[in-house]
Every structure is written in structure tokens, then in C-alpha cells.
Amino acid sequence: MNIPMMEAAFNSRSIRDLVEPGRVHRRVYSDPAIFELEMERLFGRAWLFVGHASQVPKPGDFVTTELGREPVIFTRHRDGSLQVLLNRCAHRGPKVLNERCGQRKQFTCLYHGWTYDTDGSLLAVPVPEGCGTEFDKRKHGLAHAPRVGEYRGFVFASLAQSGPSFDEHIAPIRANIDDLVDRAPAGEIAFDAGMHRYIYRGNWKLQVENVLDSYHVPFSHASTVSREGVQFSRREGDATGAKVVEGSRTAADWTRRKSYTVGRGHGWTSNTALDDSKRSSAVWNEYKLVLAERVGSERAEQILTPRLHNTLVYPNVSIMGLNIHVRVIKPLAVDMTEVTIFPVRLVGAPPEMNFRNIRLLNVTHAAASFVQSDDLEAFARAQAGLASRGTDWVDISRGLGAEESDAEHGGLRALATHEMAVRAQYAAWRDYMCEV
Amino acid sequence: MNMPLPHEATQIGREAAEQFLIHEARLLDERRFRDWMALFTEDGIYWVPAAHDQQSPFNQASLFYDDRDLMKTRIDRLEHPLIHVQTPPSRTVHLVSNVTVAPPDSDVGEFAVSSNVVMIEYRLERQRLFAGRQTHRLRYQESMWRIAHKRVDLVNCDSAFEAMAVPI
């Protein structure tokens, strides 16, 4: 794709026209040129979730990933600082680290042996007499992501030198991160329980929209709902899951759930309609005791009163409060997306509690799970259907105009079966995409 | 186990083990999932790790880690008319080879049978390949060999998969 042609094809006006108040043009899902522009203007600018500090506990620990099109190394330097380096040798360009994770004292490029420190600075060049007299090692380190921010172990980076600060980006959603992390008796969580990885033949936004979509559940996940309209249990201590269907209709409790948006594309849905007074099991009760011993029973009660179902930190990470996990969305192509789901270990919780959480996540979010696999089918079918030119528009108008202002969170509130959250994502999308 | 084991429970030859695995593979290929589940002991486990050399299902994510209760929920769903990821359903062929039987574990009367497995899955104009090493722990119970534990180590266990619905 040559850039001048893209610029000719898209000016801010033509991008803006793809998003209307209650509908978006199908090209946002299907046009490869739009995808290229997203990689540049959205993934090339936004604060993106990189990883969790617990993935690199010791100096030299590293994880490799991609931020949009940019291969990066997430690592910890000797001084304990977290580093987000571009995974590209400053000499001739090979990826310096090739494994998904590992441990190194230094990072050495396979090709000509250029060796970098864990903060990216160039330590040594073989046969240095070949370098010109003006060669300055300080100018040939691994490039850094221009901006890095961290909140309670959640590490984000922006590939743009300037733009809204990390604080501006994360402030509206900090309490949602707290909601998860505070559940750990030690007040910290760890991503050290492996991961689920899946891909689907569909646009990345299909997954992002889905995490705050409460409308689809009785239909997409019909095969997980019993004849009585109840889903299987997804939390330790629950005998059954939520009632999502009554007779032939979506259950009333389910339709009363709320969704919230707080700007910048962020949002969340409120907790699933479950009776928490009935939540009890030996493992759950022990965990509650351990938490109460650490933070006091009143605070423990507060922490364990479910407030959140799923939270989206736009554009690439979501945090689930029901069966806890963190999900990272990575666009590969206009019609191909990879998703990684990290089980969350609550540090200080009884091992059995963490095991139950890991086990329930296998059932709901593995590639072979009961829940996620039907979502993946929905995403692939949406992508296939959107090839149709029968109509150019995708309807996202449910509840348009019925949003209420929500003073408590400084945003808007609506029913979770409405599509306010999707509209909020497209408002943010349009802002990123139209800013030249 | 303190009771003496009946004679037939104390030995299984390579050929008998192979026949058992072929029978199991056929049940899966014919989508006779309830009959497949019945091959497992009451405390039977079906495990497909999501990491290479995974040591434990308890502290790491797995693709499958089903006891009999979860197997039943999984199969109820596989038989549900609205399982979208099986509309249309997958067709599979399993190949089982390189079967070896480890010496019996005299304490529990279980035999570890190791084999290689390839599953070819066809659905919606696309064919996928799953390959790995599988280990069955077989226990003689109620006049037949049953699976006390089945572990499948896929060569690409830590890869990003498109949705999977049927057991391997």
C-alpha cells in the first residue's frame, strides 16, 4: 500500500463519514486501507496495553509482542525499571529476540552480534575498528516506545511522542483496575498462570465491541444455557450461573444490567445478575477469610461485592470481573485477529482459589471453551456477512438518545443490552482516525 | 488398592492397548461422545495442556481439563441444537500409532499407554491438523479397561487456535 495513495483515498472528512450517530459503514471492518490507517493513526498513537509487570519479575526477563505493527520487547532493566523497546536491531534490522518470553543478561542480535543492555543501550559492536570515527554507540541503541505508563502493574505504551498523557488516558478507568487488584489479599496480581490464545478470521473491533455486549448472550451462547434459562456456574461458590432467559425472552434481571462509558472509548458493564448471598463453598469461604484478615471484614465485603462484569480499556485490553482474567486484542490484518487471555493469580489467596479461577477460565475462554468458541464463530460469520454489498451500514442504534448522564463516574449510563458502548468506541475511533 | 487384582487387570499387551485406542478414536470420529465419556472411570480426567511440558493443570491454563462433570457439560453442549461453532459440525479422522505400554504400576493397577495421535478436522471448506503425543492411564474396572487419565500434548499446544469444539 503506498502512502500517498492512501492519503488521497482518505481525508478526515471521508473517515468521519464512515461513522454516523447510530450506524457505521461496513468498510471499517472490511477495507484493508482503513486497517492500514488504523495501524498508523490509532495503534500508532493510542496508549496500548503491553503487559503486566509480573510477567518480567527479574532484570533481564522479557516478553516479546506487537503493538500494532511494531514488534516490541517488554523487559526489566537492572535498576528494576520496566522497558518497552522496539525489537529491531539498530544495525541491519533483524528482530533481536525471537522467543515469546525468556531471560537474558544482554540482548545480542543473531546477525552481526550487536549487543544491547536490558535498557536498549548498545554495549558492544564486534570488529569495532570497522565503524567510522564519528560512530557513537549512544546513538545506536534499541529504540524505545516513546512513552510508557504503569498503573498497579498494568503497563501501557504509546508509540507517539505526544498526545494525551497516560494519566488522562487511565484516570477514568483506574477504579476498574483497582476492583480486580484489590481482590488479591496481598494487593497485587500476577500473570504467571499461562495463557489462552485464539485467533479468528474477523476484524479486531468485533472482539472489542463484544466485551461490552450484553445483548448477544442468550443467542450466541444458547448452547450454554439450560432449559431453565440458566447458564452454567462461572464463579467459585456459585451453584449455577446467571439466569439469562425466561420463557422465550431475555430474562428481566439480565435486561436491567447497566453499561457505562467514560470517554476515550473506555467503558464497562455492571455485574451479572447473581445472588451473592448464596455464594458459598469451602474454597470461597476460606478465601474470604484470608482477604478479611488482610484488609478487615468491612473492606473485604466491599471488595467482594461485584460491581463489574467486563471493563474495556480502549483499544486493546479488557478486564473481566466475573470469572477473572485480562484479555489483550491484537489486530493481525483487516480480517484476522489474535487474542491472548491471561488468568489472573490473586497473590496471597489460597492456591485452591486460584486453581478454581484457572479452571473456570479453561471452560469459558480457552480456544476449546464452551463460551468463547461460539463468540469466535459469531465474529467469523460477521466478517463473512459484511462482505455483502446489499447494504453498506451496520446498525448500532439500540438505545440511541436514551443514554443518561452518570455523575458518579463522570460519563454516561445505559442499559447493557443497548449499544451505547459501541457508539462510544466509534466516537473514540473517529477522533484517533481523523486527527492528522 | 489392597484387594488383589483379577488376573486380566494385571496385564495389557501392546496389541490390546492399541485396539482400545483405535476403539476410542472411532467413538470420537463417529461423534459418539457419550460412549466416549463412558470409557472414562468415574474419577477420570481428560487433559490437553496449553503449554509445552506443562507440569500441572492446577497453576496453568489448559485447552481442556475435564473431569466427568465437565465432560458431561461439554457433551450436552455438543448435542445442543444451537451450538453455533458446530453448525455445521466438524468431521474428524483420528490416526493412532507408535503405541507403547509402560510396565504396570503395581500400586494402583494402572498402565500408562503412550501413543502418537493425528486428528484431521474438516469443517466449512477447511481442513485442520492436530498432532501430538498422548498418554492414557488405563485401569481395569467393571470387566473392561477404562481411561483413568488421558493427556494429549499437542506439538502446537501453545499456539493461537481458531475455535475448537470436539475433543482430540
Side-chain angles (χ1 to χ4, degrees):
Chain A
M1 181 88 24
N2 88 40
I3 297 296
M5 216 178 79
M6 269 175 46
E7 281 172 1
F10 299 112
N11 55 44
S12 296
R13 170 90 188 265
S14 66
I15 294 290
R16 198 169 290 278
D17 288 348
L18 298 173
V19 179
E20 293 187 1
R23 60 183 200 172
V24 293
H25 197 282
R26 68 181 188 89
R27 278 172 64 200
V28 306
Y29 301 97
S30 62
D31 187 335
I34 298 265
F35 181 81
E36 293 302 321
L37 207 63
E38 286 178 333
M39 291 303 98
E40 185 186 315
R41 293 190 177 173
L42 206 173
F43 283 82
R45 286 170 173 160
W47 285 98
L48 302 174
F49 179 76
V50 180
H52 191 269
S54 62
Q55 291 176 276
V56 290
K58 296 185 299 296
D61 289 343
F62 69 86
V63 168
T64 60
T65 183
E66 289 81 32
L67 299 177
R69 282 283 162 74
E70 203 63 60
V72 299
I73 299 166
F74 172 45
T75 188
R76 191 181 289 273
H77 188 45
R78 276 192 310 282
D79 64 3
S81 63
L82 293 163
Q83 305 277 332
V84 181
L85 309 171
L86 304 195
N87 193 3
R88 184 246 188 243
C89 182
H91 175 216
R92 296 267 288 274
K95 278 172 78 173
V96 175
L97 292 176
N98 206 35
E99 302 99 318
R100 289 232 310 277
C101 61
Q103 224 290 332
R104 295 273 194 291
K105 279 206 168 60
Q106 298 162 344
F107 305 147
T108 300
C109 179
L110 87 160
Y111 198 5
H112 303 94
W114 284 34
T115 295
Y116 303 91
D117 204 349
T118 45
D119 66 351
S121 50
L122 181 60
L123 290 173
V125 175
V127 202
E129 55 275 26
C131 300
T133 47
E134 71 287 3
F135 184 82
D136 182 353
K137 280 201 292 199
R138 284 171 303 183
K139 292 180 180 160
H140 291 83
L142 295 176
H144 287 75
R147 296 182 297 159
V148 177
E150 183 204 342
Y151 182 68
R152 297 195 79 175
F154 287 74
V155 177
F156 293 76
S158 165
L159 295 170
Q161 298 287 348
S162 62
S165 70
F166 179 61
D167 276 352
E168 279 174 73
H169 186 72
I170 207 70
I173 214 82
R174 262 193 213 117
N176 298 49
I177 294 176
D178 293 338
D179 182 278
L180 176 70
V181 182
D182 287 346
R183 297 186 201 193
E188 60 178 300
I189 59 171
F191 287 21
D192 58 3
M195 63 190 84
H196 294 291
R197 299 178 67 217
Y198 57 78
I199 51 171
Y200 63 88
R201 289 164 192 267
N203 189 268
W204 63 277
K205 296 187 288 298
L206 293 164
Q207 170 70 88
V208 172
E209 293 163 12
N210 176 263
V211 298
L212 300 187
D213 184 320
S214 292
Y215 189 30
H216 76 291
V217 175
F219 313 99
S220 288
H221 302 303
S223 68
T224 66
V225 175
S226 72
R227 283 198 188 81
E228 293 73 41
V230 175
Q231 208 181 36
F232 65 88
S233 164
R234 293 170 60 168
R235 301 187 311 184
E236 174 60 19
D238 287 337
T240 67
K243 188 165 182 66
V244 295
V245 177
E246 273 165 352
S248 58
R249 301 166 70 94
T250 302
D253 276 355
W254 189 265
T255 63
R256 279 193 280 270
R257 297 171 59 238
K258 292 287 199 305
S259 95
Y260 298 82
T261 56
V262 285
R264 308 194 57 75
H266 306 329
W268 65 89
T269 43
S270 62
N271 67 294
T272 306
L274 288 166
D275 185 349
D276 277 277
S277 66
K278 289 188 182 146
R279 190 176 185 186
S280 179
S281 73
V283 173
W284 173 250
N285 298 341
E286 193 204 339
Y287 158 66
K288 279 206 296 193
L289 273 179
V290 170
L291 183 64
E293 276 167 20
R294 291 292 282 265
V295 301
S297 51
E298 197 177 323
R299 175 74 184 126
E301 194 67 33
Q302 201 179 19
I303 289 169
L304 296 177
T305 300
R307 189 170 68 82
L308 306 170
H309 180 68
N310 230 343
T311 293
L312 172 67
V313 187
Y314 193 78
N316 79 329
V317 62
S318 73
I319 301 168
M320 189 179 264
L322 178 69
N323 51 326
I324 56 172
H325 63 261
V326 172
R327 172 181 348 225
V328 185
I329 297 117
K330 196 189 285 184
L332 301 180
V334 68
D335 57 357
M336 187 69 82
T337 305
E338 179 184 318
V339 177
T340 305
I341 299 216
F342 293 96
V344 168
R345 183 168 65 88
L346 301 173
V347 179
E352 187 68 11
M353 182 67 207
N354 284 314
F355 162 52
R356 299 294 171 101
N357 286 338
I358 289 167
R359 181 124 188 239
L360 285 161
L361 192 60
N362 294 339
V363 179
T364 56
H365 287 82
S369 65
F370 305 170
V371 175
Q372 191 61 51
S373 52
D374 274 333
D375 286 319
L376 298 185
E377 180 72 10
F379 304 160
R381 284 200 218 173
Q383 192 72 25
L386 287 166
S388 165
R389 296 184 173 209
T391 172
D392 277 335
W393 295 95
V394 175
D395 187 277
I396 53 167
S397 68
R398 289 178 57 81
L400 180 64
E403 303 90 343
E404 300 169 339
S405 113
D406 179 56
E408 187 189 350
H409 306 103
L412 294 174
R413 185 177 61 220
L415 290 175
T417 56
H418 286 177
E419 285 158 340
M420 174 184 71
V422 182
R423 293 191 290 275
Q425 289 157 30
Y426 278 102
W429 184 90
R430 195 182 47 200
D431 287 348
Y432 282 113
M433 294 289 282
C434 290
E435 189 190 324
V436 177
Chain B
M1 221 185 257
N2 295 323
M3 291 230 298
L5 292 163
H7 177 70
E8 60 272 29
T10 59
Q11 54 185 359
I12 183 167
R14 196 195 63 81
E15 198 175 334
E18 191 172 69
Q19 286 303 319
F20 181 90
L21 297 180
I22 289 170
H23 173 64
E24 186 212 356
R26 172 164 291 195
L27 294 179
L28 287 170
D29 289 341
E30 293 179 353
R31 296 180 70 89
R32 291 163 62 188
F33 297 118
R34 280 184 204 280
D35 294 337
W36 174 71
M37 183 170 77
L39 293 180
F40 284 78
T41 59
E42 280 307 310
D43 59 351
I45 293 285
Y46 172 64
W47 183 25
V48 184
H52 183 62
D53 278 340
Q54 188 169 334
Q55 298 298 306
S56 162
F58 303 121
N59 56 15
Q60 294 271 298
S62 297
L63 284 160
F64 295 78
Y65 184 71
D66 290 1
D67 55 16
R68 285 286 295 255
D69 283 347
L70 268 183
M71 263 182 244
K72 184 182 175 306
T73 309
R74 188 180 297 279
I75 292 165
D76 287 347
R77 177 169 172 267
L78 280 166
E79 293 177 351
H80 196 286
L82 293 175
I83 177 169
H84 308 302
V85 72
Q86 287 286 275
T87 311
S90 305
R91 293 178 212 146
T92 63
V93 165
H94 283 73
L95 303 177
V96 178
S97 74
N98 305 44
V99 179
T100 58
V101 181
D105 182 335
S106 56
D107 289 347
V108 288
E110 286 179 5
F111 291 80
V113 178
S114 174
S115 59
N116 290 352
V117 62
V118 173
M119 181 178 89
I120 294 141
E121 181 198 34
Y122 169 77
R123 179 173 181 260
L124 281 176
E125 303 301 325
R126 291 184 46 239
Q127 197 160 278
R128 282 199 288 183
L129 195 67
F130 296 89
R133 186 146 195 85
Q134 55 179 2
T135 309
H136 288 69
R137 282 215 324 267
L138 300 184
R139 188 191 301 163
Y140 196 83
Q141 206 171 60
E142 293 162 32
S143 321
M144 63 174 278
W145 290 100
R146 290 178 194 275
I147 304 167
H149 193 274
K150 174 180 176 179
R151 169 176 176 151
V152 184
D153 286 288
L154 295 172
V155 290
N156 61 339
C157 58
D158 52 1
S159 169
F161 290 94
E162 287 191 70
M164 297 161 74
V166 295
I168 293 152

